[in-house]
Amino acid sequence: MTTTHASSAASIAAPSQPDWALQLTGVTKRFSQGDVSVTALHRVDLTVARGEFVAVMGASGSGKSTLLHVIAGLTRADEGQVIVDGQSLRDLSVPQLTRFRRRRIGLVFQAFNLIPSLSAEDNIRLPLLADRRLRDAAGRIDPLMDRLGIAQRRRHKPDALSGGEQQRVAIARALGTNPSLVLADEPTGNLDSTTGQSICRLLKEISAEQQRTIVMVTHDPAVAAWAERIVVLRDGRVVGQIHTADVADPVELAARCQALANKPAAEVRA
Amino acid sequence: MKLTLKLMWAQVVHQPARFVLACGAMVAAACMVVWVVSGYDALTAQFDSFSDEYVGRYDLFISPQAVESPSYAPAQTVPPRYLPDDLLDEVKADPDVALAEPVLQARLMVAGPGGPGGLIQRGGPVERDGAASGPAGGRGPGGPGSRRQRDDDAPAVSPAPPDRRPFGLVNTPMLVGTIATQPPRDLVAGRWIDPSRADAFDAVLSAGAAKSLGVELGQRVLVSDGKTDYRLTIVGIVEQVDQPGGNIRLTRVSQQGPASAALYVPMALAERIAGIEGKVSFIQIILREGANTRAFQQRWSDRLAKLDLPGEVLTEQEIRVGLEQEYVATETRNQAYGATGMALVAGVFIVFTTLSMGVTERSRQLAMLRAIALTRWQVATLVAAESLLLAVVSWAGGLAAGLGLLKVLAVQDPAAAGQSMAPGVWAVVLSGACAVGGALLASIVPMLRAAAVDPLDAMAHQPASGGAGRLSIWATIAGLVLIAINPVLLFVVGVEGDQLYMGTLSAVGWGAMVVGFVLLTPAAVLLTQRVFGPIVGRVLMLNPTLVASELGRNLWRTVGTAIALSVGLGLFVSLQVWGYSMLSPFVPGDWAPDVLANVHPAVLSDDAVAAVQRIESIVPGKCQPLVVEQPQLAEDLTGSMQRATVTRQDNVIMIGVDPDGALGGDNPLLAIDFVAGDRATAIEKLKTGRYCIVPDHFLRETGLGLEDTFAVLPPHDPEHPVEYRIAAAVSLPGWHWLSKGSGLRLNAVRSAAMVFADRRVVQADFALGGPSFLWFNVKAGTDMDALRQQIADAIQPAGLPPSRNAAQAGPRGRGGVRLSLTADVRRGVRGAADRTIGQMSQLPLITLAIASLGVVNAILGSVRTRRWEMGVLTAVGYSRSSLLRLIVAEGVMLGIVACLLSLGFGIMAGWCGSEVSQYVSFFGGLKPSLIIPWSKLSWGLAGAIGLCLIASLWPAIRIGRTDTLELLQAGRASF
């Protein structure tokens, strides 16, 4: 893995109003498994416009989670470039990456990952406290909780919340810093279908209302259908994209995804 | 920082049990430190007041420099040292001096009005007739009226009886000659002596000495130089200032300055009694008003340092410093450091385990925090903050608990109340070092682990099991190598040398050994799993395979907890092994006959001996008379002047025996093992002349061999040494204690060896009238009181006082038969050792109990991470009772790991420790063999396993009460 860091502890580059919220160019990621090197991502190119809601779909082992990890800066690409909100992640050191992620990227996890010892409100404020910007964002938290329907549960600990409520708290935490990009990893994976659908609706509404760029990883066509665009991965490669406006229902979406996933390998490589 | 504190506090509130348990353990550790160190604080607090009272009405003293002695050994009885003759006039001429008075001090025999029974030495086995003996120095006024009448009528000066031994014990008053017209301290009763009237034979006693001698105002005391007895009338009693830690030993401070226990007489009388004229032990000085004490001290220190026998100025400050360097203070300080060290190490591992468990169990939480908000440093700070909170709360709690404990102890034992009511400076400092230092030290590795958490782990869909750890074969090999270093250094290379050399090698050896055992801990865990897991499983009626896998699930947690337990348990084992190994050469072996009889003051005629030998209770043919003397060695063959030990002294006990009678035959009276030379040859050589049999350690210490000679100085004719040739060397375990209370040590408190030679030769060489000792075996069931009477009756015609009192009287000098039973000596030695080793083992066992709180924490952590697994077990059919037993099994196996570690460490440390003691301890020199007191150890080991079992009960009961569904849902929960 070759990376370069900023030579000084300069602050993270201010966005220069690019067209894209997210830009991946030729991104490749390899893992070693014993003596074998596995290519999880192979020269992936992807762009996501501001305010766009994109889903990444693929079978297990297709590289969709790895793609999310690379975009979030949780792991570095071996080749290629990842630019989030105009900032190349390659140029950032580890502490700078952490600060960048704290300020510009919101993460929503499948397992919610709320701190069990903190209340819902404190969980939401966590990134802001870490960034010492709680006072600046004071006026944003309450409306956010109201919008997500969890204001009346603000004092409760996670174990007193339902799955859906926990995920809403997690989404509020991700949005609390007003990030440029929200990444959601199987956000409905631990929820029943009804609750899952409500979460998806919420994400869509937030994306539309706040012009929030959201990239969501999922294996469920019913969840992916909420996105505007679906990127299909197979064996670490982008095999195709589907605009959900062109799809009638999740059943059709699933069929088209399947068709893309079943493309011959040579065609995919090409 | 705000976020860190918020997260830290939230975690504490969310899982209070872990914090409370870890805190509880640290509080207990800090409390232990406060308790032990307060003893040292109390001691040092006395130094100031003692120093002030010690100088009395004087400003300072000028005295010869003290003889240095190792701080770990009691100071020797040193020969008297005097200031130069012309120094007093010089001092008086100093313009800053208002008053300069010379003082002569001498240690002679001083006895109370009951007579000189004061030569019974303290310590050692209790004598069978001990009840009859009075306090050291003789009997008090309650003694037989006829005897007191005889004392009152006796002249002030008379020749001493021939058996009078001139030496005094260190706990009898010093004879102090003075020209002072005023007492050094306040008078308690009576008046001060008239220093110009030596012919009045008046004296003033210090209050403590008066009490121990049983002397009241107006009564007389006996002072003797061995040739002449002096009877002095006590006209006054003056305050006595006792040295903190006790006046028992002749210490550096009391070597130089005024004696605490003192018998004050006019200077001229002291010179006459001691046979010393014109000598000055020290000068007591009062400075003129306005004189600068520092300047005076500086001026005179330079002058005194240049003397042939250097002197020094003793002020209050020097006295205080001297006290701090004393054996008692050093020992107490070492004890304080030892307690702190133990508590610190145990605390480090308890906190380490607690924090490590926290990092492991929250690994995904920490990963999430890394993913969304916190840098590595911030995550590490979170762990540090938890550690600091633990530290501060533990320190405060420990101080409070220590204070409470001291108050409780004060109520229970008011006599000690004045000594340690509140934690002093050292207690606060050392408990802080234990709590804060231990917590911060323990947090280093958990901080690094937390900082190394991969934010990618937050994306994992299942909670990480974490902490399994693996046994590193290289770590095990390294551990074994490191452990081997200490024995190699001690037994092969040898550590004898100067302090720097010994200190360096010790640090390397012992440090390597400790690290080695730490590295071996994972192997011990796995060994326990493999070997004991199935056994424990079968005992608790559990699946052996399931039990066998318990400990290794979180190796770090298990290792940390086992080490914490092993701190106390390992020290306990090592103390027991060391103590009983060191004891072995001091317990009288089978070679010693059953009884040693000492008759006094007469010597036994041949008829008397024969009469005793005919006594029914005495085994025929197993009764031998002994002639005994304790002459000084002509040269310092053992190196006692460099370092005195139990085998390095300046004299020997010569025992004259009939070689055939004592050593010959198939079943000799003295069934000694010959280490060099053989019995038959040795007997023949003894009969030919000045040959002798020595103990094996005498050859080691002197470097002599068979047929080599050494010379001794007969007390009656020291100008003409007599030379003895070594015929053989034998093993004589226990000769020290056999000779200590039996009267064999005639002239000195300690001796280098018990040496056997032909009776006729010894009798002639040392001008002894005849035997005064008998060694014999008795038949089973013999009544000793009756036997004593029979012996007294048997030897009565030979010149003992014809009365029953002769049989009952024990103390020498009053006439009588004293019986020392070898069995009693053994019992006494073992009993004293049991008590001493037991006392020393208290702190380690307390540390073990403290560490058991860490076991509760570990089991709680284990249960917490396995909730889902336990849910599955109950779902598939395991009963709650099985679950409880499974958790108890984990606790028991944790205890077994600690036992294995502790046994290994303890035996190795005890063995190495007994070797080190040969070089540094006063009791070294006897090459003890390794003794593992399994019966004693079993209590500690069983106790450790029991504590672990109890510690696992609460977590086991808790999980047993939890609903199965709740346990299963733990697998789907966030974290």
Side-chain angles (χ1 to χ4, degrees):
Chain A
M1 182 173 74
T2 55
T3 58
T4 56
H5 304 293
S7 58
S8 66
S11 58
I12 298 163
S16 56
Q17 304 296 328
D19 293 331
W20 312 111
L22 172 67
Q23 202 172 1
L24 273 69
T25 313
V27 167
T28 299
K29 178 68 184 174
R30 298 182 194 90
F31 293 106
S32 295
Q33 286 181 353
D35 296 333
V36 177
S37 177
V38 173
T39 305
L41 294 174
H42 183 78
R43 299 182 65 79
V44 169
D45 296 318
L46 176 67
T47 53
V48 177
R50 284 193 190 284
E52 195 177 1
F53 185 179
V54 171
V56 177
M57 276 196 71
S60 183
S62 61
K64 58 184 186 298
S65 294
T66 306
L67 181 64
L68 202 73
H69 298 164
V70 168
I71 295 171
L74 297 175
T75 188
R76 291 197 190 262
D78 294 316
E79 292 171 28
Q81 183 137 237
V82 179
I83 301 174
V84 175
D85 202 16
Q87 173 69 55
S88 169
L89 299 191
R90 183 194 298 173
D91 298 336
L92 300 177
S93 64
V94 171
Q96 287 173 331
L97 199 50
T98 303
R99 282 191 284 276
F100 181 80
R101 203 163 44 238
R102 179 197 298 161
R103 292 168 186 169
R104 303 284 190 82
I105 299 176
L107 284 170
V108 180
F109 306 91
Q110 176 181 349
F112 321 139
N113 284 359
L114 300 179
I115 305 285
S117 54
L118 296 179
S119 66
E121 185 170 4
D122 286 335
N123 267 289
I124 294 168
R125 289 176 179 191
L126 198 63
L128 293 164
L129 261 177
D131 215 30
R132 297 192 194 115
R133 287 194 298 147
L134 189 60
R135 205 176 297 158
D136 298 342
R140 200 165 54 238
I141 301 299
D142 285 345
L144 188 56
M145 283 197 281
D146 286 333
R147 176 63 186 87
L148 294 174
I150 50 174
Q152 69 279 14
R153 307 286 274 165
R154 64 202 305 155
R155 297 272 178 249
H156 289 79
K157 297 258 172 61
D159 56 6
L161 304 175
S162 68
E165 287 170 335
Q166 288 187 56
Q167 195 61 294
R168 285 169 191 267
V169 171
I171 293 170
R173 180 179 66 191
L175 294 175
T177 56
N178 196 20
S180 305
L181 177 64
V182 174
L183 302 175
D185 180 21
E186 303 269 9
T188 63
N190 280 7
L191 302 171
D192 60 86
S193 59
T194 306
T195 309
Q197 290 294 300
S198 70
I199 293 297
C200 292
R201 182 178 299 113
L202 182 63
L203 288 173
K204 180 145 181 92
E205 286 168 359
I206 286 168
S207 175
E209 289 166 13
Q210 300 175 2
Q211 281 298 291
R212 193 73 67 188
T213 310
I214 299 178
V215 175
M216 178 177 68
V217 161
T218 184
H219 67 278
D220 186 349
V223 172
W226 289 90
E228 294 167 37
R229 177 163 58 108
I230 298 166
V231 175
V232 181
L233 293 184
R234 192 187 104 185
D235 296 334
R237 288 179 165 85
V238 176
V239 294
Q241 300 187 47
I242 302 168
H243 290 276
T244 54
D246 302 336
V247 176
D249 54 35
V251 174
E252 184 187 340
L253 176 59
R256 287 178 68 171
C257 288
Q258 192 65 38
L260 282 172
N262 289 340
K263 261 189 191 177
E267 204 175 316
V268 170
R269 284 195 199 99
Chain B
M1 185 51 70
K2 198 173 164 187
L3 175 63
T4 304
L5 292 175
K6 193 178 186 66
L7 284 169
M8 174 203 72
W9 183 247
Q11 179 62 24
V12 168
V13 170
H14 183 69
Q15 279 179 347
R18 176 189 295 153
F19 182 81
V20 167
L21 285 166
C23 230
M26 292 296 285
V27 164
C31 175
M32 182 179 85
V33 170
V34 169
W35 169 46
V36 174
V37 176
S38 291
Y40 178 69
D41 279 335
L43 187 65
T44 56
Q46 295 174 45
F47 291 167
D48 280 330
S49 62
F50 170 79
S51 307
D52 178 47
E53 290 166 23
Y54 184 71
V55 295
R57 68 187 184 95
Y58 298 97
D59 292 319
L60 42 84
F61 309 102
I62 287 179
S63 73
Q65 274 186 358
V67 171
E68 290 295 335
S69 66
S71 62
Y72 44 76
Q76 294 296 293
T77 303
V78 295
R81 305 163 93 226
Y82 304 109
L83 294 171
D85 297 342
D86 53 354
L87 189 65
L88 178 62
D89 291 333
E90 250 187 89
V91 172
K92 281 180 177 172
D94 190 297
D96 282 340
V97 171
L99 180 70
E101 294 170 342
V103 175
L104 171 67
Q105 287 190 156
R107 187 165 289 288
L108 298 172
M109 194 192 79
V110 179
L119 298 181
I120 296 173
Q121 299 170 15
R122 283 194 191 172
V126 173
E127 296 174 288
R128 286 181 64 81
D129 56 355
S133 62
R139 186 165 285 192
S146 59
R147 185 167 288 281
R148 184 165 56 184
Q149 204 168 15
R150 285 205 297 278
D151 284 345
D152 288 346
D153 293 339
V157 183
S158 63
D163 65 316
R164 181 79 78 227
R165 297 285 175 177
F167 80 97
L169 298 172
V170 295
N171 54 341
T172 52
M174 288 268 261
L175 181 71
V176 179
T178 177
I179 63 169
T181 55
Q182 293 178 50
R185 294 178 197 92
D186 292 339
L187 277 167
V188 173
R191 61 169 176 85
W192 185 240
I193 50 173
D194 181 348
S196 62
R197 290 208 52 209
D199 56 345
F201 294 100
D202 289 343
V204 168
L205 249 186
S206 60
K211 189 175 173 191
S212 69
L213 290 175
V215 175
E216 292 176 353
L217 209 59
Q219 291 186 318
R220 298 169 97 181
V221 296
L222 174 73
V223 185
S224 181
D225 63 355
K227 296 189 183 64
T228 308
D229 286 352
Y230 298 85
R231 288 171 182 77
L232 309 179
T233 305
I234 301 300
V235 298
I237 294 177
V238 73
E239 270 182 5
Q240 176 171 320
V241 180
D242 286 318
Q243 185 173 325
N247 298 332
I248 295 172
R249 297 188 178 85
L250 185 58
T251 59
R252 185 169 179 268
V253 167
S254 55
Q255 270 186 49
Q256 296 174 273
S260 287
L263 178 70
Y264 299 96
V265 297
M267 178 66 86
L269 182 58
E271 288 177 337
R272 178 180 171 186
I273 296 174
I276 307 164
E277 232 178 276
K279 294 293 183 192
V280 176
S281 298
F282 64 89
I283 303 170
Q284 46 200 24
I285 296 168
I286 296 176
L287 296 177
R288 293 192 197 286
E289 204 164 319
N292 186 321
T293 311
R294 269 265 158 252
F296 179 89
Q297 183 184 8
Q298 187 61 51
R299 192 164 68 247
W300 277 96
S301 293
D302 295 339
R303 163 83 180 90
L304 293 168
K306 294 182 179 118
L307 296 175
D308 289 338
L309 199 65
E312 59 184 343
V313 179
L314 270 187
T315 62
E316 238 181 276
Q317 178 63 16
E318 269 71 44
I319 288 166
R320 197 190 191 293
V321 168
L323 285 170
E324 285 170 359
Q325 294 169 351
E326 290 292 357
Y327 173 66
V328 170
T330 306
E331 282 296 295
T332 310
R333 190 166 53 237
N334 288 345
Q335 205 178 25
Y337 287 153
T340 305
M342 262 191 286
L344 181 71
V345 174
V348 163
F349 283 102
I350 289 170
V351 172
F352 166 78
T353 312
T354 303
L355 294 177
S356 284
M357 282 195 298
V359 168
T360 303
E361 290 166 25
R362 292 181 298 159
S363 61
R364 214 174 84 195
Q365 187 183 126
L366 294 175
M368 184 279 297
L369 286 171
R370 282 280 291 120
I372 68 164
L374 302 186
T375 61
R376 285 187 206 279
W377 169 246
Q378 285 173 313
V379 168
T381 310
L382 184 59
V383 175
E386 288 177 14
S387 159
L388 206 55
L389 179 67
L390 252 180
V392 169
V393 172
S394 304
W395 189 17
L399 282 175
L403 179 62
L405 179 63
L406 291 175
K407 286 198 188 305
V408 166
L409 291 174
V411 166
Q412 284 181 349
D413 186 0
Q419 293 189 1
S420 55
M421 274 293 289
V425 170
W426 275 110
V428 173
V429 168
L430 289 181
S431 63
C434 164
V436 178
L440 292 179
L441 199 61
S443 68
I444 295 174
V445 170
M447 276 173 66
L448 291 173
R449 284 185 60 212
V453 162
D454 189 348
L456 257 183
D457 290 344
M459 311 302 279
H461 294 170
Q462 287 292 335
S465 56
R470 283 178 53 222
L471 171 67
S472 164
I473 192 71
W474 293 113
T476 305
I477 293 171
L480 290 169
V481 168
L482 286 171
I483 287 168
I485 289 176
N486 204 22
V488 166
L489 284 176
L490 285 173
F491 296 99
V492 177
V493 173
V495 295
E496 192 163 19
D498 61 34
Q499 280 207 335
L500 180 62
Y501 177 77
M502 283 175 60
T504 306
L505 256 60
S506 293
V508 168
W510 289 94
M513 199 169 89
V514 168
V515 172
F517 273 101
V518 169
L519 289 176
L520 273 193
T521 308
V525 171
L526 291 174
L527 178 70
T528 302
Q529 278 194 163
R530 297 251 166 94
V531 174
F532 293 97
I535 298 172
V536 171
R538 287 200 178 86
V539 168
L540 292 174
M541 296 181 291
L542 293 166
N543 183 325
T545 314
L546 196 61
V547 172
S549 64
E550 290 285 289
L551 291 182
R553 287 169 184 280
N554 189 322
L555 196 58
W556 288 116
R557 179 180 60 221
T558 305
V559 164
T561 309
I563 294 175
L565 284 168
S566 300
V567 171
L569 189 59
L571 274 168
F572 166 78
V573 172
S574 65
L575 275 170
Q576 298 286 320
V577 170
W578 171 82
Y580 286 101
S581 296
M582 290 290 291
L583 175 70
S584 58
F586 291 94
V587 178
D590 293 335
W591 65 270
D594 296 336
V595 182
L596 178 68
N598 177 11
V599 300
H600 195 81
V603 297
L604 297 168
S605 64
D606 290 345
D607 290 340
V609 171
V612 172
Q613 288 172 334
R614 284 194 295 271
I615 291 174
E616 174 69 26
S617 309
I618 292 177
V619 175
K622 294 285 185 281
C623 177
Q624 288 293 316
L626 316 174
V627 292
V628 179
E629 186 52 88
Q630 190 180 9
Q632 196 166 356
L633 291 165
E635 295 169 49
D636 185 20
L637 292 173
T638 63
S640 63
M641 293 306 289
Q642 281 81 47
R643 186 171 79 88
T645 70
V646 289
T647 56
R648 294 168 69 140
Q649 298 289 328
D650 63 357
N651 65 83
V652 294
I653 300 172
M654 296 291 301
I655 297 186
V657 294
D658 172 26
D660 287 317
L663 299 166
D666 294 332
N667 192 14
L669 175 67
L670 299 177
I672 310 174
D673 285 331
F674 280 71
V675 172
D678 66 275
R679 182 187 300 273
T681 310
I683 290 172
E684 291 311 308
K685 285 183 177 173
L686 256 60
K687 289 195 286 191
T688 60
R690 287 207 184 104
Y691 270 92
C692 66
I693 296 171
V694 299
D696 47 5
H697 59 77
F698 187 75
L699 293 190
R700 271 200 303 273
E701 297 292 3
T702 59
L704 298 172
L706 296 189
E707 296 298 326
D708 286 339
T709 61
F710 62 93
V712 295
L713 306 176
H716 74 286
D717 187 16
E719 301 301 317
H720 296 95
V722 290
E723 220 172 58
Y724 281 79
R725 194 174 294 274
I726 298 171
V730 295
S731 172
L732 276 183
W735 74 261
H736 286 87
W737 281 108
L738 278 176
S739 62
K740 191 172 169 77
S742 59
L744 286 175
R745 298 189 192 182
L746 300 172
N747 300 326
V749 177
R750 305 192 191 279
S751 185
M754 180 183 278
V755 177
F756 297 101
D758 188 288
R759 193 180 113 196
R760 294 165 303 173
V761 172
V762 173
Q763 192 164 325
D765 282 344
F766 300 104
L768 299 171
S772 54
F773 289 84
L774 293 157
W775 237 335
F776 53 87
N777 287 341
V778 293
K779 295 176 181 169
T782 299
D783 181 337
M784 287 302 155
D785 289 329
L787 177 62
R788 189 189 295 113
Q789 184 64 54
Q790 288 171 335
I791 294 174
D793 293 342
I795 63 179
Q796 175 185 326
L800 275 186
S803 73
R804 286 179 59 218
N805 286 340
Q808 288 169 359
R812 285 163 42 105
R814 297 179 59 238
V817 176
R818 175 199 287 173
L819 298 183
S820 297
L821 273 65
T822 303
D824 283 352
V825 173
R826 285 197 192 106
R827 203 162 25 243
V829 169
R830 288 199 178 109
D834 287 345
R835 278 189 300 278
T836 304
I837 298 171
Q839 251 180 349
M840 289 166 71
S841 299
Q842 277 179 1
L843 279 181
L845 289 175
I846 291 173
T847 308
L848 171 65
I850 291 170
S852 68
L853 289 172
V855 174
V856 181
N857 232 349
I859 303 291
L860 270 178
S862 168
V863 163
R864 211 171 5 246
T865 53
R866 291 157 54 201
R867 287 170 66 89
W868 177 80
E869 179 191 319
M870 290 182 178
V872 170
L873 286 173
T874 52
V876 300
Y878 265 66
S879 64
R880 291 187 193 284
S881 146
S882 300
L883 217 54
L884 185 145
R885 278 179 278 127
L886 188 65
I887 296 164
V888 166
E890 185 178 349
V892 168
M893 290 211 294
L894 205 48
I896 294 174
V897 174
C899 288
L900 284 178
L901 263 187
S902 302
L903 269 176
F905 174 81
I907 292 172
M908 180 68 77
W911 179 42
C912 292
S914 62
E915 180 66 17
V916 170
S917 294
Q918 306 310 307
Y919 305 113
V920 302
S921 169
F922 181 77
F923 298 97
L926 292 173
K927 292 288 183 206
S929 46
L930 177 65
I931 303 282
I932 304 175
W934 289 110
S935 60
K936 301 272 191 300
L937 293 183
S938 61
W939 286 104
L941 300 175
I945 295 178
L947 275 173
C948 291
L949 191 153
I950 292 168
S952 61
L953 280 178
W954 175 50
I957 291 169
R958 251 181 73 168
I959 201 72
R961 286 188 181 154
T962 308
D963 190 57
T964 304
L965 186 61
E966 193 180 326
L967 293 174
L968 286 171
Q969 282 174 340
R972 296 194 300 115
S974 48
F975 45 58

